[in-house]
């Protein structure tokens, strides 16, 4: 059932103008758009949706999220992890040293905050918690290594907006570096490294031997004023940087890498969080590079906290089996007011993806993706209403997601196999505006 229509608008301003209406019904535009791709060769392809007159007003300043930078004053107090007995030989377990140092530094929270300094060395640790008004600073050649013993990570409850772990039902392992209910927390350095040594977790995932869902590398929950910058993140067990229920988060000048074979590893995951800037990052992951989420089916609908006001700019992205930039599939709390621009996407399965399913509810709206270069990509754009994974049997199949006011413009691609694949959901129109796409 192909209900989509192509219509030549004959508008003269820039070459060929075509109207696409995506209405429903498990209609795949794959062949259509691919056909066009081959037909037009290098001519710019312009697609305008039915609602293109509704000018996308990126209210709430997604453009401004990267222009109001927090002031990072040096902390008045600093201690080295060595003062707490840590040994940087890559073998000694330093979880206690990290926990004790941070417990001590907590007493400076109302005195301008403090810095925990990590000198060059290999600092093996299990999970630990940050505290407010803390800077974790990794010197050049300082490497924090995640332990490969699951007993060193601990177990925590599922996030309320998900109702269960992502990999398996029930609880999940704690992340390596955690923040709960914090304000003013900075994770930075002079190009130090945080290495999750994720292979243990990838193997457990692939062999179905996980007792709880995999941990993330850095997870900050319900916090305000978070900066992650000037570091390299390697081999995350699952997500690399996961802000959940957070406001005012800046991720700047980091690189993140997990190997192509690592299952479902993701770089940055803004999740039910608002007022975020992600800029000047290099991310290369097994699955997605950047994914915006906001909760899963009835749990996300109930928690009702959107991801909104996000500006992503100047990022180099690679996503081996997933997408360089993805929205969903867990988007039940809504995703809106996102501007992603100046994206350099290479060697990825997909460029930009919108994922959802009946049961999700929520919305993805007021999204602008612009100034994108793509090279060696299987499929440039995907929208799919068929991500039919559900947390449990309690979801409401009549909770339909809304996708509207989504604009993609100014995209140039080299060696793109399929231009686009759009598959909707009956009774809920997906509305996209595509312009100046040259693939
Ligand atoms: C921005 O967000 C505030 C608070 O949620 C809301 O009151 C305001 O209407 C929003 N503005 C726009 C343009 O969306
Ligand atoms: C870390 O914080 C969580 C949530 O507040 C808490 O349950 C856990 O005990 C803390 N862990 C340590 C080692 O303090
Ligand atoms: C969060 O932190 C504030 C103070 O910073 C405190 O008043 C509140 O009780 C904390 N909430 C939780 C759930 O720990
Ligand atoms: C990026 O981080 C590196 C260290 O990791 C630093 O040398 C460089 O100056 C930073 N660049 C910017 C623009 O902050
Ligand atoms: C999972 O649970 C089983 C049975 O309790 C146990 O033998 C196994 O060691 C556990 N695996 C991990 C990774 O903790
Ligand atoms: C990153 O490092 C550069 C160079 O040291 C410094 O100027 C900048 O303030 C740092 N950025 C952040 C956000 O920490
Ligand atoms: C990202 O890659 C570019 C090009 O290789 C490099 O110039 C830049 O320093 C890298 N940035 C980071 C944060 O690693
Ligand atoms: C084109 O991209 C595909 C991946 O989509 C890659 O396998 C292939 O090597 C690329 N071809 C060239 C000539 O770079």
């Amino acid at each position: 059932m192909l209900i989509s229509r192509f219509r030549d608008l004959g508008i003269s301003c820039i070459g060929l103008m075509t109207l696409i209406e995506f209405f429903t019904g498990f209609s795949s535009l794959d062949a259509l758009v691919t056909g066009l791709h081959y037909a037009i060769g290098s001519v710019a392809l312009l697609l305008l949706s039915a609602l293109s007159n509704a000018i996308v007003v990126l209210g709430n300043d997604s453009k401004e999220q990267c222009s109001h930078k927090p002031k990072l004053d040096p902390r008045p107090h600093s201690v080295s992890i060595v003062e707490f007995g840590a040994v940087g030989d890559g073998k000694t377990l330093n979880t206690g040293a990290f926990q004790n140092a941070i417990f001590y530094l907590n007493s400076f929270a109302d005195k301008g905050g403090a810095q925990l300094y990590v000198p060059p060395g290999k600092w093996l640790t299990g999970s630990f918690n940050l505290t407010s008004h803390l800077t974790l600073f990794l010197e050049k050649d300082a490497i924090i290594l995640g332990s490969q013993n699951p007993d060193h990570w601990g177990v925590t409850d599922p996030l309320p907006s998900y109702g269960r772990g992502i990999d398996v039902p029930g609880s999940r392992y704690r992340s390596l570096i955690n923040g709960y209910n914090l304000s003013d927390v900075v994770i930075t350095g002079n190009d130090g490294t945080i290495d999750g040594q994720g292979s243990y977790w990838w193997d457990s995932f692939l062999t179905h031997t996980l007792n709880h869902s995999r941990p993330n590398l850095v997870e900050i929950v319900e916090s305000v004023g978070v900066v992650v910058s000037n570091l390299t993140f390697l081999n995350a067990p699952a997500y690399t940087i996961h802000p959940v229920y957070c406001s005012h988060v800046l991720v700047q000048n980091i690189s993140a890498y997990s190997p192509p074979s690592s299952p479902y590893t993701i770089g940055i995951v803004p999740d039910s969080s608002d007022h975020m800037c992600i800029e000047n990052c290099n991310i290369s992951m097994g699955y997605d590079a950047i994914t915006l989420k906001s909760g899963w089916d009835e749990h996300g609908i109930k928690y009702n906290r959107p991801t909104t006001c996000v500006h992503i700019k100047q990022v180099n992205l690679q996503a081996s089996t997933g997408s360089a930039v993805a929205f969903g599939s867990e988007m039940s709390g809504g995703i809106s007011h996102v501007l992603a621009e100046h994206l350099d996407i290479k060697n990825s399965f997909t460029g930009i993806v919108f994922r959802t399913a009946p049961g999700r509810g929520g919305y993805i709206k007021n999204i602008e993706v612009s100034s994108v270069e793509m090279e060696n990509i299987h499929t440039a754009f995907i929208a799919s209403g068929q991500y039919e994974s559900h947390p449990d049997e309690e979801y409401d199949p009549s909770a339909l997601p809304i996708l509207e006011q989504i604009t993609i413009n100014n995209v140039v691609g080299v060696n793109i196999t399929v231009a686009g694949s759009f598959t909707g959901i009956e009774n809920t129109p997906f509305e996209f505006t595509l312009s100046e796409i040259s693939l």
Side-chain angles (χ1 to χ4, degrees):
M1 179 165 63
L2 182 68
I3 322 178
S4 309
R5 288 186 284 148
F6 258 133
R7 189 146 46 92
D8 195 335
L9 288 179
I11 297 171
S12 59
C13 54
I14 332 172
L16 167 74
M17 276 226 171
T18 315
L19 176 90
I20 273 192
E21 292 169 9
F22 299 118
F23 277 149
T24 79
F26 308 106
S27 60
S28 172
L29 279 181
D30 202 352
L32 198 51
V33 182
T34 310
L36 249 185
H37 159 59
Y38 289 122
I40 62 169
S42 61
V43 180
L45 164 63
L46 290 153
L47 310 168
L48 285 180
S49 86
L51 288 199
S52 60
N53 55 332
I55 309 244
V56 176
V57 181
L58 283 163
N60 260 331
D61 315 308
S62 53
K63 276 192 181 67
E64 285 168 29
Q65 303 311 319
C66 288
S67 47
H68 302 299
K69 295 283 158 49
K71 219 166 131 254
L72 292 181
D73 293 328
R75 304 288 191 189
H77 306 277
S78 178
V79 296
S80 165
I81 190 66
V82 176
E83 295 171 51
F84 290 81
V87 180
D89 60 2
K91 297 187 184 105
T92 308
L93 188 67
N94 295 301
T95 317
F98 278 100
Q99 287 173 349
N100 292 340
I102 290 167
F103 181 77
Y104 169 75
L105 293 177
N106 190 27
S107 60
F108 296 95
D110 56 358
K111 302 181 185 70
Q115 168 175 280
L116 177 57
Y117 177 83
V118 183
K122 291 184 176 170
W123 311 92
L124 183 71
T125 182
S127 31
F128 60 90
N129 290 342
L130 301 176
T131 187
S132 291
H133 308 292
L134 178 81
T135 297
L136 176 64
F137 187 98
L138 278 73
E139 192 51 272
K140 193 163 188 57
D141 301 320
I143 306 175
I144 291 181
L145 291 175
S147 162
Q148 295 196 308
N149 180 344
D151 295 340
H152 298 158
W153 293 66
V155 172
T156 187
D157 289 337
L159 292 164
S161 54
Y162 287 77
R164 51 162 279 185
I166 293 288
D167 298 322
V168 294
S171 13
R172 38 192 217 120
Y173 286 100
R174 265 187 216 298
S175 300
L176 189 65
I177 299 179
N178 299 273
Y180 302 95
N181 191 29
L182 304 183
S183 62
D184 176 22
V185 48
V186 181
I187 302 172
T188 189
N190 179 18
D191 199 24
T193 299
I194 298 176
D195 182 347
Q197 304 202 93
S199 57
Y200 167 82
W201 302 101
W202 308 330
D203 293 346
S204 305
F205 175 86
L206 291 170
T207 54
H208 306 286
T209 51
L210 283 170
N211 292 338
H212 311 282
S213 291
R214 286 176 294 171
N216 300 318
L217 200 46
V218 174
E219 183 169 277
I220 311 290
V221 183
E222 230 161 311
S223 299
V224 180
V226 178
V227 175
V228 181
S229 61
N230 292 356
L231 291 174
T232 295
F233 294 85
L234 301 177
N235 303 314
Y239 304 164
T240 307
I241 298 170
H242 189 208
V244 201
Y245 322 137
C246 287
S247 292
H248 298 96
V249 178
L250 170 63
V251 181
Q252 190 185 51
N253 191 36
I254 62 135
S255 60
Y257 176 82
S258 295
S261 59
S262 58
Y264 294 100
T265 49
I266 311 187
I268 305 173
V269 185
D271 196 347
S272 292
S273 291
D274 55 86
H275 298 91
M276 276 194 69
C277 168
I278 299 171
E279 66 177 347
N280 298 333
C281 296
N282 296 342
I283 305 175
S284 174
M285 286 287 139
Y287 191 55
D288 295 342
I290 298 176
T291 311
L292 298 96
K293 296 178 183 279
S294 64
W296 205 0
D297 288 359
E298 75 277 14
H299 306 286
I301 293 171
K302 183 166 174 225
Y303 199 82
N304 193 26
R305 179 148 177 183
T307 285
T308 186
C309 297
V310 180
H311 192 176
I312 299 166
K313 63 189 266 216
Q314 276 134 19
V315 287
N316 298 323
L317 308 177
Q318 294 193 38
S320 294
T321 61
S323 187
V325 177
F327 296 81
S329 80
E330 306 92 331
M331 39 63 72
S332 304
I335 301 174
S336 74
H337 297 99
V338 177
L339 171 62
E341 59 179 350
H342 304 292
L343 315 178
D344 189 326
I345 300 176
K346 288 204 171 68
N347 309 324
S348 298
F349 184 65
T350 337
I352 314 287
V353 168
F354 299 83
R355 306 180 177 124
T356 188
R360 290 285 190 278
Y363 52 82
I364 303 177
K365 66 182 183 190
N366 268 299
I367 310 293
E368 183 180 343
V369 178
S370 125
S371 302
V372 183
E373 288 179 29
M374 295 195 193
E375 194 178 332
N376 304 338
I377 311 294
H378 184 270
T379 305
F381 309 111
I382 294 179
S384 169
Q386 274 144 39
Y387 275 78
E388 293 279 4
S389 61
H390 300 286
D392 46 48
E393 295 305 311
E394 306 300 311
Y395 73 97
D396 173 7
S398 67
L400 299 181
I402 293 164
L403 272 74
E404 63 184 18
Q405 295 185 49
I406 298 173
T407 304
I408 302 177
N409 60 58
N410 189 12
V411 180
V412 178
V414 174
N415 185 22
I416 313 295
T417 309
V418 178
S421 160
F422 293 83
T423 312
I425 297 174
E426 206 155 5
N427 300 324
T428 182
F430 287 7
E431 298 165 4
F432 286 85
T433 305
L434 289 85
S435 63
E436 295 181 69
I437 313 285
S438 171
L439 300 174

